[in-house]
Amino acid sequence: MRAPCCLLGLITVLTGLFLVTPSFSRNIDELEALVRRNAPENPIRIAIGIRINQIEFVDQKAENFGAVGTLRMEWQDPKLAFEPEADEQFFRVFTPEGFWDFTQKNRIYYPSFTFQNQQRRRFVHQAGFAVLPDGKAFYFEQFSAVMQAPNFDFRKFPFDTQKFFIHVTLNRPAGHAEFVPIENFSRLGDLLGEEEWILTDVHTEVGVHEGFTGLPSSRFSFGFDGYRHLDYYAVRIFLPLFVFAFVTWATFFLEDYRKRIDIAAGNLLIFVAFNFAISGDLPRLGYMTFLDFILIAMFIVTALMIVFNVALRHLEAKGRTEFAKRIDLYTLRWIYPISYFFVVLFAAYRFLYTTSEV
C-alpha cells in the first residue's frame, strides 16, 4: 500500500474521533481514553505473515539491512460480503487505490499499516486485494525495503550472533484492530543471496506498542538470527595473526638483537595496517570487541618485544652477554608463549563467555 493511502486512513480514523470532542487540544491520555470507549466489542483480527525472498545487503556500519519480501494479510469483515453475479468470478480483485476508494465510499475498514523500522522509501513491486463472497479479504504485497537493525551487538565479533527484525504496526489503535500471525507462512527463502551470514531461527511475535500516532497499536514482528561464516575469519584474520605471533617468537632464535628489533618493528606496522583493515567493516563503537582485544593485546606484546630486545642489546653492549642470554632463554621458553595463552584465555572468558547478547 502506498503512503498516501496509509495517511488518509489515519486521518479518517482521527477525524472520526475528534468530531465527538469539543476541541482539538485534548492531550494524548484523553485521546487514548476516548479510543478505548469507542472500541468495538470484537476488534477486527488481521492475520499477517512475511516471507523474505532475498537479503540484498547487511550494512554493519549503518546497522541496517535490505530485504525483498512478500507480505500477506487476511481478515474477515461482514461489510465486505457480496452476492456474486451470474457472470462474475467467485472473488473480486482490487488494486490498493481501488480498494481504498471502495472502502471509503462504503465506510468499510481499510487496514493501513506502517513498517516501523523502515529506513528510506519502501518500493512496492506488486500489490493487490482479493475479497471472497463471505467477506474474507486478502492483501498481497511484494516489497523491497531497507530496515533498521538497532539491536546489533558486536562485542563477540566475529563470533557474534545478530538479530534482525521487521516490525509492522497497524495505524488504527489497539482495541479496534489487532494482528495475529498466519501459521506456517512466515519464513526465509531458500536462496537469499547472502554470502557472509548464515540466517536462521525465524520467529514471529505480536504485541502492543506505541504507533506513530502516539497511541498503543498492534505490532507484528518478524525476526531471524544471523551468524557469520567463520571460514573467512579463520583464513583471513586468525591464521595471519598466528603467523605474526609465530614469526615474532621465531626471532628469539636469532642471536643478533638488532635484527630482532627490525623484524619486531616491521610486525608492529603490520598490526597497525591489519587493525585499520578490519575496523573498516564495523561502525565506530563505544565498546571493545573480541577481535579488538586480541589485536590490541598482540600489538602490546609485540611492542614489549621491541623494548625487551633493546634491553638485551643494551646488556650485550655493556659486556653482560651471558646474563642477557639467560634472560633470553627464559623468555623464549616460558614468558612469550604463556603470555599469548593467557591473552586468548582471558579474551574468550571476557567476551565470549560472560558477555550476553542484546
Side-chain angles (χ1 to χ4, degrees):
M1 298 177 203
R2 298 189 304 179
C5 294
C6 298
L7 292 176
L8 287 172
L10 176 63
I11 291 171
T12 302
V13 172
L14 294 182
T15 301
L17 294 175
F18 283 131
L19 284 176
V20 297
T21 65
S23 171
F24 287 90
S25 62
R26 59 176 68 245
N27 59 37
I28 193 68
D29 294 331
E30 293 175 327
L31 179 59
E32 186 174 350
L34 180 62
V35 168
R36 286 198 301 267
R37 287 197 302 269
N38 288 274
E41 184 176 346
N42 296 313
I44 296 178
R45 294 169 59 87
I46 303 173
I48 182 174
I50 292 178
R51 183 177 298 168
I52 298 299
N53 305 319
Q54 298 176 31
I55 296 295
E56 296 181 293
F57 64 87
V58 177
D59 190 335
Q60 299 175 90
K61 296 188 71 172
E63 297 195 26
N64 58 28
F65 66 97
V68 177
T70 300
L71 172 68
R72 177 178 173 181
M73 294 195 303
E74 306 173 3
W75 71 99
Q76 186 84 31
D77 190 343
K79 295 180 180 180
L80 291 172
F82 65 94
E83 286 290 336
E85 298 179 2
D87 57 345
E88 187 179 12
Q89 294 180 332
F90 69 93
F91 62 90
R92 291 177 178 175
V93 177
F94 298 86
T95 63
E97 295 82 0
F99 192 70
W100 164 258
D101 294 337
F102 175 78
T103 55
Q104 296 310 295
K105 180 180 179 180
N106 296 278
R107 296 184 177 274
I108 300 174
Y109 171 67
Y110 184 90
S112 59
F113 60 88
T114 301
F115 279 79
Q116 201 163 20
N117 62 323
Q118 172 187 329
Q119 295 181 330
R120 310 172 196 170
R121 180 181 178 182
R122 182 172 97 257
F123 292 93
V124 178
H125 305 290
Q126 298 288 338
F129 289 86
V131 180
L132 300 181
D134 62 356
K136 187 168 186 178
F138 300 85
Y139 175 69
F140 302 94
E141 175 185 308
Q142 186 177 39
F143 66 89
S144 59
V146 177
M147 300 293 175
Q148 184 188 20
N151 293 328
F152 278 1
D153 187 343
F154 299 104
R155 287 180 174 86
K156 296 184 179 182
F157 175 77
F159 300 102
D160 51 331
T161 298
Q162 301 299 345
K163 298 185 181 299
F164 301 79
F165 284 97
I166 297 178
H167 299 303
V168 183
T169 304
L170 281 171
N171 292 339
R172 179 164 288 200
H176 291 254
E178 60 184 27
F179 277 138
V180 294
I182 300 177
E183 294 185 6
N184 302 321
F185 181 82
S186 298
R187 63 177 183 268
L188 296 173
D190 297 327
L191 299 174
L192 295 175
E194 174 55 46
E195 299 297 333
E196 181 178 356
W197 296 83
I198 299 174
L199 303 176
T200 183
D201 192 22
V202 175
H203 50 279
T204 60
E205 178 183 339
V206 173
V208 176
H209 298 264
E210 182 178 310
F212 78 93
T213 63
L215 299 175
S217 300
S218 182
R219 187 178 79 176
F220 170 78
S221 297
F222 172 86
F224 53 95
D225 295 344
Y227 59 94
R228 305 171 192 273
H229 288 282
L230 293 180
D231 292 349
Y232 170 84
Y233 297 94
V235 175
R236 301 293 296 273
I237 294 178
F238 292 111
L239 181 59
L241 289 178
F242 174 79
V243 172
F244 295 154
F246 180 79
V247 169
T248 303
W249 177 72
T251 60
F252 286 104
F253 292 95
L254 296 174
E255 295 184 359
D256 189 338
Y257 297 127
R258 286 174 295 185
K259 289 188 178 296
R260 292 187 186 184
I261 296 171
D262 292 339
I263 295 174
N267 285 345
L268 204 62
L269 295 176
I270 292 175
F271 279 127
V272 173
F274 208 68
N275 187 48
F276 274 109
I278 294 173
S279 62
D281 292 334
L282 298 178
R284 295 181 179 179
L285 303 172
Y287 52 85
M288 188 178 295
T289 69
F290 170 80
L291 189 57
D292 287 337
F293 182 85
I294 294 294
L295 289 173
I296 292 172
M298 294 187 70
F299 183 84
I300 292 174
V301 170
T302 303
L304 290 176
M305 289 303 101
I306 296 177
V307 175
F308 177 73
N309 285 303
V310 170
L312 293 180
R313 177 70 182 93
H314 180 72
L315 290 174
E316 185 182 49
K318 293 292 185 179
R320 305 180 64 182
T321 304
E322 291 302 321
F323 179 64
K325 287 184 177 180
R326 286 199 301 270
I327 297 176
D328 194 19
L329 181 62
Y330 185 75
T331 304
L332 171 66
R333 290 180 176 178
W334 300 106
I335 296 179
Y336 184 80
I338 290 176
S339 64
Y340 270 118
F341 174 77
F342 278 105
V343 163
V344 175
L345 188 65
F346 176 79
Y349 176 79
R350 170 63 179 81
F351 292 92
L352 304 183
Y353 179 72
T354 62
T355 301
S356 60
E357 295 180 349
V358 179

